[in-house]
Amino acid sequence: MHPLWTFPFIIMGSTNSRQNPPPPSNNTYGGKNVDTCQRDSKQNSELYDLSVEIEEPSTTASEIPNSDEDPEDVFYKFVILHAENDIDEAIRVQHLLQNKFCVKPGIIFAEMPCGRHVLENLNDAVNGSAWTIILLTENFLSEAWVEFQSYTSLINALNKRHKYNSVIPVRPLNNPLPREKTPLVLQTINALEENSPGFAKQVEKLFQESKYRQQQAIWKTEKMKERH
């Protein structure tokens, strides 16, 4: 594995990079009504400049949220970044991690609140969870916005020591992205392969409770500073 400091150079020269990516200013995936909150991701030249302004954590707490709990008071164990066409697969992986491996609470990007700027949701998703999972499917390369999400997550991990090794590429069972098509910046990180015999052991090794508690404590400290 190459050291994380190589990422900025790869990002600028990746053969898989596209025109400055993503979405329009009001894009948000959706909360409970995912379909009504989706919209086409349009190219926006301001996104790469804004990505370096990712702020300190602003969402989530330690226990599984209940109906009376504010989502912004929950610190998730993981968030899954995914292509718009991969919402069903992202939900499946979310349930797999939560129900089979007890890695919970988790959230997918489509569940982020509606009505907010997409970059604000991305900032909260990455900073409000201990691990950022990047769902590597064939749809990954069809959306520049998804690549942008990945690069932003890696930059965030570079800038914050407690986020080191918190970005996890995952090749799911359905429609996985072949290794040879994976952008170089993500090839430097060992991906979780769902069809691998060692998948269960890798999950147990990666999602360690001690690391979650460490990040949660830092997140809580930052929240306290913001409120005062």
Side-chain angles (χ1 to χ4, degrees), residues 112-196:
M112 295 300 291
C114 296
R116 294 167 50 183
H117 194 289
V118 67
L119 287 180
E120 184 180 2
N121 271 342
L122 178 59
N123 173 62
D124 288 352
V126 171
N127 288 316
S129 57
W131 290 278
T132 302
I133 293 174
I134 299 171
L135 200 63
L136 294 178
T137 70
E138 288 282 4
N139 294 321
F140 178 91
L141 295 180
S142 67
E143 296 182 21
W145 167 235
V146 185
E147 282 196 75
F148 172 81
Q149 290 176 313
S150 304
Y151 297 154
T152 300
S153 302
L154 292 170
I155 291 172
N156 193 50
L158 268 175
N159 293 332
K160 298 176 183 177
R161 181 173 296 181
H162 67 283
K163 286 290 185 179
Y164 186 77
N165 285 339
S166 65
V167 178
I168 304 174
V170 172
R171 287 191 181 85
L173 286 178
N174 303 316
N175 199 28
L177 181 68
R179 291 184 186 86
E180 60 272 16
K181 290 185 179 181
T182 304
L184 291 176
V185 68
L186 294 176
Q187 287 184 24
T188 62
I189 308 173
N190 290 329
L192 276 177
E193 313 270 352
E194 193 179 350
N195 64 351
S196 167

Side-chain angles (χ1 to χ4, degrees), residues 5-76:
W5 56 262
T6 60
F7 290 152
F9 303 95
I10 298 174
I11 290 172
M12 299 302 295
S14 171
T15 55
N16 291 284
S17 61
R18 292 174 174 70
Q19 266 187 324
N20 296 338
S25 61
N26 288 326
N27 181 25
T28 50
Y29 286 72
K32 295 182 179 178
N33 189 357
V34 171
D35 292 336
T36 60
C37 296
Q38 293 180 6
R39 64 179 194 48
D40 294 335
S41 299
K42 296 181 180 180
Q43 304 297 321
N44 188 329
S45 61
E46 299 176 354
L47 286 173
Y48 280 113
D49 293 332
L50 288 171
S51 69
V52 297
E53 297 177 4
I54 288 292
E55 301 172 353
E56 293 301 314
S58 58
T59 50
T60 53
S62 70
E63 302 299 328
I64 300 175
N66 56 47
S67 57
D68 299 323
E69 192 170 14
D70 188 340
E72 292 194 358
D73 288 330
V74 180
F75 186 71
Y76 294 92

